[in-house]
Amino acid sequence: MPDEQKNCAECKRARAARWREDFPVRWDEDNYITRREMVKFMGLGSLLLAGANFVVAAIPHLQRAEHYPEQKLGPASLVPVSGSVLFNYPTPQDPCILVRNQAGEFVAYSQVCTHLSCAVIHSPKENALFCPCHNGYFTVEEGRPYAGPPTRPLPRIKLEQRGEYVYAVGVEV
Ligand code: FES
């Protein structure tokens, strides 16, 4: 090796040595991760992910626990057997339908179809809630879809009857 280059190589080594003195970091040790550390990291990461999933899953339940207003819908005699009336609940922007089934009991649902949000109507002849947009059908008893494109049930409005009057008291999603 020529002297010039050798000198240059020695210079580099000397510079490197000085650099190591100024920053005494042992990279080989610094980058070394033990199996235990790796398992700890993976375990904590998994716990964090599980916790985040739990929080995301709990949010709808927490929202559901929100307080709904009580709303007097009117006297039971207002709706004949196999008849229905429309109302808004829990806000004036939420259309709902109250149906008196063939047994004389009251059930109520959101009127917003779970397919593409058209308004469902009561069809006494078919004893069903019918969506004219795409011929979707829901049962009156449970609001469950049984024909047409809807796959999710209608949100049910919780009712209470006190004396002659029917009240809306909550929403079951
Ligand atoms: S919007 Fe009701 S069936 Fe499509």
Side-chain angles (χ1 to χ4, degrees):
M1 186 182 288
D3 273 357
E4 258 179 39
Q5 279 184 3
K6 190 179 166 191
N7 281 343
C8 193
E10 280 171 13
C11 285
K12 275 184 191 168
R13 241 178 275 127
R15 273 203 302 271
R18 249 206 334 255
W19 175 84
R20 283 192 193 286
E21 279 172 24
D22 289 343
F23 300 95
V25 176
R26 295 286 314 267
W27 292 108
D28 49 342
E29 284 179 11
D30 198 51
N31 289 331
Y32 183 70
I33 297 173
T34 62
R35 189 180 304 165
R36 183 173 297 203
E37 285 170 332
M38 184 66 180
V39 168
K40 245 195 245 177
F41 174 76
M42 299 285 280
L44 281 175
S46 301
L47 266 179
L48 277 175
L49 273 178
N53 279 335
F54 179 76
V55 169
V56 168
I59 285 172
H61 294 285
L62 294 175
Q63 285 174 339
R64 244 179 260 163
E66 78 186 55
H67 180 72
Y68 287 102
E70 184 176 291
Q71 185 176 319
K72 195 185 217 178
L73 301 182
S77 55
L78 188 73
V79 191
V81 170
S82 293
S84 62
V85 292
L86 303 180
F87 64 101
N88 294 297
Y89 184 82
T91 73
Q93 288 76 44
D94 299 312
C96 296
I97 185 164
L98 173 69
V99 179
R100 192 167 197 175
N101 66 20
Q102 290 165 340
E105 295 157 351
F106 288 100
V107 285
Y109 302 97
S110 164
Q111 209 192 356
V112 180
C113 178
T114 54
H115 178 225
L116 290 177
S117 302
C118 288
V120 297
I121 52 175
H122 181 222
S123 170
K125 229 198 297 179
E126 294 156 310
N127 187 31
L129 293 164
F130 169 62
C131 179
C133 283
H134 310 101
N135 293 330
Y137 283 89
F138 300 85
T139 62
V140 166
E141 286 70 25
E142 297 167 320
R144 193 171 31 81
Y146 68 89
T151 55
R152 290 173 293 127
L154 293 168
R156 188 175 187 133
I157 309 300
K158 287 189 208 166
L159 298 174
E160 276 180 22
Q161 191 168 351
R162 287 179 224 140
E164 171 60 6
Y165 288 94
V166 179
Y167 295 82
V169 295
V171 180
E172 280 172 23
V173 181

